[in-house]
């Protein structure tokens, strides 16, 4: 009976030890995936920015999806070339690119990362095309309402304060819808970015990844 009790105790202790090791082993992949998802979320938000141009008496409502590329003296031969370069510059301006530049990477690693970045450029082009189409419809509705207000102002049916208040109301009315559409496309771009970030993580190794993750999260 004593031997049986000892055996049961050893077996139970072994099972507990195995369970603890198993949990630790399972935790690493989960943490790794969570870190990748965190980085992807930051990049997606950076790449999918929408700036609304407010309307007034002489200016229509509008939107801008990309930063101006002033000072870029590189001449693209076609609109497609320029569009691609615009997307490339947006990716290069992301926090990921800035943090990668702080790492001590080999030439081979840098080349592999560059190839991974090309996928992000293609992702952004495709997602922005869809986002732009949806935003155009909303802006057109906003502009119709602005023109109605402008006509009333010109006919002196409302004063300038009422006109400005009306414009503010139009903007506030559509802001939630615009943000909802933007968020949808943030999610749409994530699968492609996740593949890119996973490739980068493999390329740079664990130590560099730890530094990169800390840089992006800060």
């Amino acid at each position: 009976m004593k031997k049986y009790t000892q055996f049961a105790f050893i077996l139970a202790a072994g099972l507990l030890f195995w369970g603890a090791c198993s949990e630790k082993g399972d935790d690493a992949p989960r943490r790794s995936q969570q870190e990748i998802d965190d980085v992807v979320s930051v990049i997606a938000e950076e790449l999918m920015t929408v700036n609304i141009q407010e309307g007034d008496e002489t200016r229509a409502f509008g939107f801008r999806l990309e930063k101006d590329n002033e000072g870029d003296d590189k001449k693209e031969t076609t609109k497609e070339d320029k569009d691609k370069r615009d997307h490339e510059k947006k990716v290069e301006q992301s926090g990921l690119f800035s943090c990668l530049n702080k790492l001590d990477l080999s030439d081979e690693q840098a080349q592999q990362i560059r190839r991974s970045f090309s996928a992000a450029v293609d992702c952004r082009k495709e997602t922005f095309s869809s986002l732009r189409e949806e935003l155009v419809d909303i802006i057109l509705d906003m502009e119709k309402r602005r023109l109605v207000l402008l006509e009333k102002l010109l006919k002196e049916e409302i004063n300038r304060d009422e006109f400005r208040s009306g414009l503010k109301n139009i903007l506030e009315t559509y802001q939630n819808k615009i943000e909802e559409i933007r968020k949808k496309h943030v999610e749409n771009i994530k699968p492609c970015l996740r593949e890119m970030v996973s490739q980068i993580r493999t390329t740079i190794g664990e130590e560099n990844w730890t530094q990169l993750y800390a840089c992006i999260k800060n």
Side-chain angles (χ1 to χ4, degrees):
M1 184 68 181
K2 185 177 180 181
K3 290 183 178 180
Y4 175 79
T5 303
Q6 289 176 336
F7 174 76
F9 175 78
I10 292 171
L11 179 62
L15 289 172
L16 286 172
F17 178 77
W18 178 83
C21 291
S22 177
E23 287 179 4
K24 289 180 180 179
D26 290 343
D27 183 59
R30 284 198 299 267
R31 186 176 66 252
S32 173
Q33 189 58 54
Q34 182 59 56
E35 289 178 353
I36 289 173
D37 288 343
D38 290 344
V39 172
V40 166
S41 294
V42 172
I43 302 170
E45 288 290 342
E46 289 181 350
L47 296 183
M48 304 303 293
T49 55
V50 177
N51 298 312
I52 300 300
Q53 173 183 287
E54 297 185 24
D56 56 28
E57 294 178 39
T58 59
R59 183 176 60 183
F61 281 111
F63 63 89
R64 183 180 299 278
L65 299 179
E66 302 171 48
K67 293 181 180 178
D68 291 329
N69 293 323
E70 295 178 2
D72 184 5
D73 57 1
K74 182 176 180 179
K75 303 300 182 182
E76 289 79 8
T77 56
T78 66
K79 183 181 182 301
E80 183 178 350
D81 290 337
K82 182 180 184 304
D83 186 55
K84 181 178 180 181
R85 182 56 187 158
D86 286 343
H87 288 287
E88 287 175 348
K89 291 198 70 169
K90 185 63 177 180
V91 172
E92 291 170 0
Q93 291 165 354
S94 69
L96 173 62
F97 195 90
S98 175
C99 288
L100 280 169
N101 282 335
K102 296 178 182 179
L103 302 179
D104 184 18
L105 301 176
S106 67
D107 291 341
E108 182 179 355
Q109 287 174 321
Q111 289 175 4
Q112 290 177 354
I113 290 171
R114 275 287 181 183
R115 288 193 289 269
S116 298
F117 265 50
S118 66
V121 173
D122 293 338
C123 280
R124 189 169 188 267
K125 285 175 61 179
E126 182 177 347
T127 306
F128 259 53
S129 177
S130 176
L131 174 59
R132 185 180 288 110
E133 289 179 5
E134 292 193 51
L135 288 178
V136 165
D137 291 337
I138 289 182
I139 294 298
L140 286 175
D141 286 342
M142 294 173 67
E143 185 58 13
K144 288 177 183 177
R145 295 183 60 176
R146 184 190 74 88
L147 292 175
V148 169
L149 285 174
L150 182 60
E151 184 178 1
K152 289 182 178 181
L153 176 65
L154 295 176
K155 291 181 178 180
E156 298 185 348
E157 296 176 6
I158 59 174
N159 58 39
R160 277 184 167 73
D161 287 341
E162 290 171 323
F163 176 71
R164 296 190 186 99
S165 177
L167 292 178
K168 182 179 179 181
N169 181 62
I170 292 173
L171 187 59
E172 291 175 349
T173 299
Y174 285 90
Q175 270 181 335
N176 287 339
K177 182 63 176 177
I178 291 171
E179 180 61 13
E180 179 182 321
I181 291 173
R182 190 191 72 84
K183 286 290 188 183
K184 180 182 73 174
H185 287 84
V186 165
E187 294 303 315
N188 289 345
I189 201 176
K190 282 183 178 181
C192 183
L193 294 178
R194 188 173 290 110
E195 181 178 351
M196 178 196 72
V197 173
S198 297
Q199 291 174 353
I200 290 175
R201 189 186 192 284
T202 301
T203 299
I204 66 178
E206 192 65 31
E207 184 177 344
N208 278 324
W209 171 258
T210 300
Q211 295 179 45
L212 178 68
Y213 180 74
C215 176
I216 291 175
K217 290 292 287 182
N218 294 333

